[in-house]
Amino acid sequence: MSRRLVITGRFSAALRRRAPTFALIGAAAALAFQLGGCAVGPDYHRPDTAVPAAYKEAPEGFKVAQPADMADRGTWWLIYDDAQLNGLMDQLNANNQTVAQYAAAYRQARALVGEARAAYFPVVSASFSGTRSRTPTRVSNASGSFPSGNITNNVNLGLDATWEPDLWGKVSRTVSAEEAGQQGAAADLANARLSAQATLAQTYFTLRALDAQQKLLDDTVAAYQKSLTLTQNQYAQGVAGRADVIQAQTQLQSAQAAAIDNGVARAQDEHAIAVLVGQPASSFSIAASPLTATPPTVPLTMPSALLERRPDIASAERKAAAANEQIGVAISAFFPTLTLSASGGFESSVFSQLLQMPSRFWTLGPSLAATIFDAGLRSAQTQAARAAYDQQVAAYRQTVLAAFQDVEDNLASQRILAQEVVVQQQAVESAQHALSIVTNEYKAGTTDYQNVLSAQTTAFTAQQKLASIAGERMVSSVGLVKALGGGWDAAQMDRESGGVAAPAPASAASASGAAASTTAADTQRALNVQPQ
């Protein structure tokens, strides 16, 4: 019974000794929880930008997309109904190295979010050490003194924990900035993929247009060969002069040279496609097939929807959001930081007695630190953060302006080329008719060969121009799809990156979590995106 009283007495005395420390820790924690969520710095709102009410260059026949048209059309190239193009797109999505770089950058941004979130939690570390040391001494006896030494052992097993409460929202601002960076990286990845896909489609249709021109050149060479034969026959009969034969030969050879030169451009386009799909140009080839496709109708979205449909706009907006959060991080440096730390463990000179109660040690205590003088460092850092935000806002607005220009350029191109192809088709028919008349007159001997050469050149130029316009229309069609964002939507950033909210392990931490949640909600509203 007396032993129990002694133990109880020691325990009570220990509590009394620890009471001031525990009270100090409790007061500091209560203060941290009360101040948690007092995030300093400006709340983010998407920067205002001028959005037109309608597209100026929208040609007749184009319509504004209805809500049903806003469904995800990620495989936008299917509207061209080209099986070979579909296969090339599959290879690009799997093997394009530029897209792979942006995918790695996205994974890095996602890891940075986890790195920032770690600051919400305490840092706990463990240590173990063992030392054996000898200190010299001198021992004296009857025969004199001689050197000796004391050998001591020391074994230490410890556990340390530190935690810095997020009093002023520095951690939540940092997490929000990294989340915006992650979403921006997701948009950058989508933009890189869309750009590569559009480049592939445009290069593919350019190659097909070159195939059409190659067929035209081959047909022209065959026609000029017949014309040369006709002239040679006329010369043999004494109807035509030697100059007519030389002119016919010159025109044939020029057409043959043009046919060969066309192969250079086609080879370069084929090599470019090989790089886009991640294959060596040396082992890649595409069979020739003249272009026969015509641009499909592309439903337009409302101009305001372009802010959600273009990944480059979403990326620029997320960079502005991240820069805004960095202002709060810079402002938080003006306020004191509270650090709660605790350490404990066992220390003994005898290893077998290491884990016994007399060998234990511990320390507890809060630490409050504030910078009194820094020669204007924090003010300069805050000004730099505000300037960086203004820079990102300007970049965002410039991206929006460039996006509308891109749409208008391609709309104008589609409208004008559609009109031009009709006129050029009529020009081809007229040139062919004129060539037929002049050829018959030459056979009849009523006109000279110079008129035949002129009519042949006019007909060939008209046909070549028509083939070129057909290719330009397809390239412009792809450009319009890309300008409208392809099949992408800003909501895909959240589907790909996921939401990252501040942890709330205890009710006292709800204020800090609420601040992070509010930031995430503001981000959702700014993007006009529904949470997944």
Side-chain angles (χ1 to χ4, degrees):
M1 184 67 177
S2 60
R3 182 176 177 83
R4 183 180 302 173
L5 288 175
V6 170
I7 294 175
T8 304
R10 290 179 177 176
F11 182 71
S12 300
L15 282 179
R16 287 194 298 271
R17 289 194 300 269
R18 299 181 193 178
T21 302
F22 281 123
L24 185 59
I25 291 290
L31 177 63
F33 291 144
Q34 289 178 0
L35 293 178
C38 298
V40 296
D43 292 332
Y44 174 73
H45 300 284
R46 182 163 60 179
D48 296 332
T49 185
V51 179
Y55 296 109
K56 180 184 70 173
E57 293 289 349
E60 184 179 356
F62 279 74
K63 69 182 182 70
V64 174
Q66 300 302 316
D69 295 320
M70 294 295 292
D72 182 20
R73 298 185 300 273
T75 53
W76 54 265
W77 54 89
L78 295 180
I79 64 176
Y80 296 102
D81 194 24
D82 190 310
Q84 187 159 19
L85 177 61
N86 297 344
L88 291 173
M89 285 295 182
D90 291 338
Q91 295 182 49
L92 180 146
N93 292 331
N95 303 320
N96 184 271
Q97 296 306 302
T98 300
V99 175
Q101 293 177 34
Y102 280 91
Y106 165 73
R107 295 196 302 271
Q108 181 184 23
R110 182 173 58 187
L112 291 177
V113 174
E115 180 181 327
R117 289 183 70 244
Y120 280 119
F121 301 93
V123 176
V124 181
S125 60
S127 63
F128 176 80
S129 63
T131 59
R132 181 179 177 86
S133 60
R134 179 181 183 277
T135 57
T137 59
R138 299 192 66 86
V139 178
S140 300
N141 54 21
S143 60
S145 63
F146 58 91
S148 180
N150 294 327
I151 298 177
T152 59
N153 300 318
N154 186 65
V155 183
N156 185 292
L157 176 64
L159 192 69
D160 299 312
T162 59
W163 179 48
E164 183 178 323
D166 189 24
L167 299 183
W168 317 112
K170 176 181 179 181
V171 177
S172 62
R173 292 286 189 186
T174 302
V175 170
S176 297
E178 296 298 345
E179 285 177 341
Q182 180 186 6
Q183 292 179 325
D188 286 337
L189 172 58
N191 190 52
R193 185 184 294 115
L194 177 60
S195 296
Q197 291 168 348
T199 301
L200 171 60
Q202 290 177 325
T203 307
Y204 175 80
F205 287 126
T206 300
L207 182 142
R208 290 309 184 205
L210 291 173
D211 287 342
Q213 292 192 25
Q214 186 66 47
K215 183 178 184 303
L216 171 62
L217 287 165
D218 293 341
D219 294 342
T220 301
V221 168
Y224 287 176
Q225 182 64 57
K226 292 179 180 180
S227 181
L228 174 61
T229 302
L230 173 62
T231 307
Q232 290 172 336
N233 293 337
Q234 296 283 72
Y235 174 71
Q237 296 174 5
V239 177
R242 179 63 180 169
D244 292 347
V245 176
I246 299 301
Q247 287 178 331
Q249 288 178 339
T250 302
Q251 189 175 44
L252 172 61
Q253 292 164 351
S254 297
Q256 290 172 334
I260 295 172
D261 185 66
N262 189 72
V264 175
R266 189 192 189 280
Q268 292 175 344
D269 284 344
E270 189 177 66
H271 300 161
I273 292 175
V275 173
L276 287 169
V277 300
Q279 294 191 27
S282 304
S283 58
F284 181 82
S285 62
I286 299 177
S289 177
L291 178 65
T292 58
T294 56
T297 300
V298 180
L300 297 181
T301 59
M302 291 296 294
S304 60
L306 195 65
L307 304 183
E308 308 298 334
R309 301 293 292 175
R310 292 262 305 213
D312 57 338
I313 292 179
S315 174
E317 187 272 335
R318 291 289 80 201
K319 288 181 173 65
N324 179 82
E325 299 302 323
Q326 291 299 332
I327 297 176
V329 174
I331 293 177
S332 66
F334 285 95
F335 298 88
T337 59
L338 174 65
T339 302
L340 305 179
S341 61
S343 64
F346 298 89
E347 184 176 8
S348 176
S349 60
V350 180
F351 183 78
S352 61
Q353 299 176 358
L354 176 63
L355 300 180
Q356 295 183 4
M357 294 301 290
S359 301
R360 62 180 177 172
F361 68 90
W362 58 265
T363 59
L364 292 171
S367 173
L368 193 65
T371 302
I372 299 176
F373 176 75
D374 61 1
L377 174 62
R378 289 167 295 172
S379 297
Q381 290 173 337
T382 303
Q383 293 174 4
R386 293 187 183 278
Y389 170 72
D390 292 340
Q391 180 182 0
Q392 293 300 331
V393 169
Y396 165 70
R397 289 172 175 161
Q398 181 63 28
T399 303
V400 172
L401 292 174
F404 285 114
Q405 177 190 0
D406 195 9
V407 174
E408 296 289 357
D409 287 347
N410 285 281
L411 283 174
S413 176
Q414 285 285 283
R415 176 177 56 82
I416 295 171
L417 289 174
Q419 298 171 354
E420 185 180 3
V421 74
V422 174
V423 176
Q424 190 62 36
Q425 182 63 49
Q426 295 172 350
V428 169
E429 293 173 357
S430 298
Q432 289 287 359
H433 185 58
L435 175 60
S436 178
I437 293 174
V438 172
T439 302
N440 290 334
E441 290 177 347
Y442 177 71
K443 290 178 180 179
T446 58
T447 187
D448 58 17
Y449 192 69
Q450 188 63 42
N451 291 331
V452 176
L453 290 178
S454 178
Q456 287 177 334
T457 300
T458 301
F460 170 70
T461 302
Q463 291 174 327
Q464 190 177 41
K465 179 63 174 177
L466 180 61
S468 177
I469 294 174
E472 290 177 13
R473 289 185 70 196
M474 296 303 297
V475 170
S476 176
S477 173
V478 175
L480 178 59
V481 174
K482 177 178 178 291
L484 294 172
W488 191 82
D489 188 87
Q492 295 187 27
M493 288 191 303
D494 284 340
R495 289 202 294 269
E496 187 167 359
S497 61
V500 181
S507 59
S510 59
S512 177
S517 299
T518 301
T519 304
D522 290 340
T523 300
Q524 294 280 358
R525 287 192 294 270
L527 279 172
N528 195 20
V529 173
Q530 295 298 323
Q532 301 299 312

